[in-house]
Amino acid sequence: MARVVVDVMLKPEILDPQGKAVHGAFGRLGFDGVADVRQGKRFEITLEGEATEERVAEIRKAADTLLANPVIEDYTLHVEADR
Amino acid sequence: MKIGVVTFPGSLDDADARRAAAVAGAEAVALWHGDADLHGVDAVILPGGFSYGDYLRAGAISRFAPVMETVIKKAGEGLPVLGICNGFQVLCEAHLLPGALIKNHVRKFVCKDQPLRIENNRTAWTSDYDANHEITIVLKNQDGSYVADEATLDRLEGEGRVVARYLGQNPNGSYRDIAGISNERGNVVGLMPHPEHCVETLTGPSTDGLGFFTSVLKAVVAS
């Protein structure tokens, strides 16, 4: 079984209050020297069978329509090597 | 005159929206997310709450519910649709309205009586307000910050599609203090604050919200 990974991040120009809250916690815990934190989402999609070009194209479509909102988010997609 | 109110799993304000419709003089009809039939209603409200737990993004999963296929199709034909809070998020995710709603910049759930200015009283849901009418209704949300790119914001402003704007301090980081917008035709309106909680003095800070529901009654009669 192949695995497709989709990483979704808010576009750089969109404010990320969750990342800001995490950044604040970094400072309180003494993790210094951190300029910024942005929080995203990672989807690990396990396919039945091989990651053929057609199947990956389907997952890309799912990322476009469901996993990411193109108004506020960008995503990257890659097929993970067999483990 | 029937106003349908959709219940998604996780909707919270569906009962209040039905009550507001009834107080305005309409027959309130409960619609179910899994039923694509709108049961002959003349207008639809997508209520507040946390549909599907707001998993993925607020409104992202609800947007694909069977009822939404019909709502999207009928909205394109002119059916009045009002999305309140989570309903506004669903309308944006469904691309019936531009832009998106993200977490409040204050990183807190906001719950307060919020002054607004009704800037467009030509929509199906705001015709009972005077131009630039100032009202105070309940605002309560986590993901209430309206965002869109500059070109979209300029277009909304230029076409008079900013229906309501926050007055005073911006409560959630919404770009250009936007509290509500409409589609080009004015039949679809998304609003972050909650007019349905403000139709009776017993339970709300005002009755300023009633105008949304009386407006749509007139819009339906007129069409």
Side-chain angles (χ1 to χ4, degrees), chain A:
Chain A
M1 292 196 291
R3 177 172 281 178
V4 181
V5 175
V6 178
D7 286 301
V8 179
M9 292 299 295
L10 280 173
K11 288 180 193 279
E13 66 270 26
I14 303 288
L15 179 75
D16 175 17
Q18 292 185 115
K20 284 226 176 308
V22 174
H23 190 199
F26 269 49
R28 285 193 297 280
L29 293 170
F31 298 113
D32 294 329
V34 178
D36 193 22
V37 179
R38 305 278 294 172
Q39 181 175 326
K41 298 188 189 97
R42 174 185 169 98
F43 300 89
E44 298 184 342
I45 300 149
T46 307
L47 301 179
E48 294 171 354
E50 297 304 305
T52 60
E53 219 167 276
E54 292 76 27
R55 301 299 310 282
V56 173
E58 281 286 296
I59 299 299
R60 194 173 290 281
K61 204 170 146 196
D64 283 326
T65 53
L66 178 66
L67 301 181
N69 178 349
V71 176
I72 49 170
E73 294 168 325
D74 297 320
Y75 72 88
T76 58
L77 179 153
H78 71 271
V79 179
E80 214 164 65
D82 288 336
R83 287 186 289 188

Side-chain angles (χ1 to χ4, degrees), chain B residues 142-158:
Chain B
Q142 173 89 38
D143 290 43
S145 181
Y146 180 75
V147 299
D149 58 42
E150 286 294 309
T152 301
L153 293 168
D154 288 342
R155 199 175 74 241
L156 288 171
E157 304 256 19

Side-chain angles (χ1 to χ4, degrees), chain B residues 120-141:
Chain B
N120 178 346
N121 66 345
R122 302 174 306 283
T123 78
W125 297 91
T126 53
S127 62
D128 256 357
Y129 294 99
D130 299 328
N132 296 318
H133 199 141
E134 293 187 5
I135 66 172
T136 296
I137 61 175
V138 172
L139 177 72
K140 53 168 187 124
N141 61 73

Side-chain angles (χ1 to χ4, degrees), chain B residues 91-104:
Chain B
L91 291 175
C92 287
E93 283 285 344
H95 309 304
L96 285 173
L97 294 174
L101 291 137
I102 64 166
K103 295 206 182 304
N104 298 339

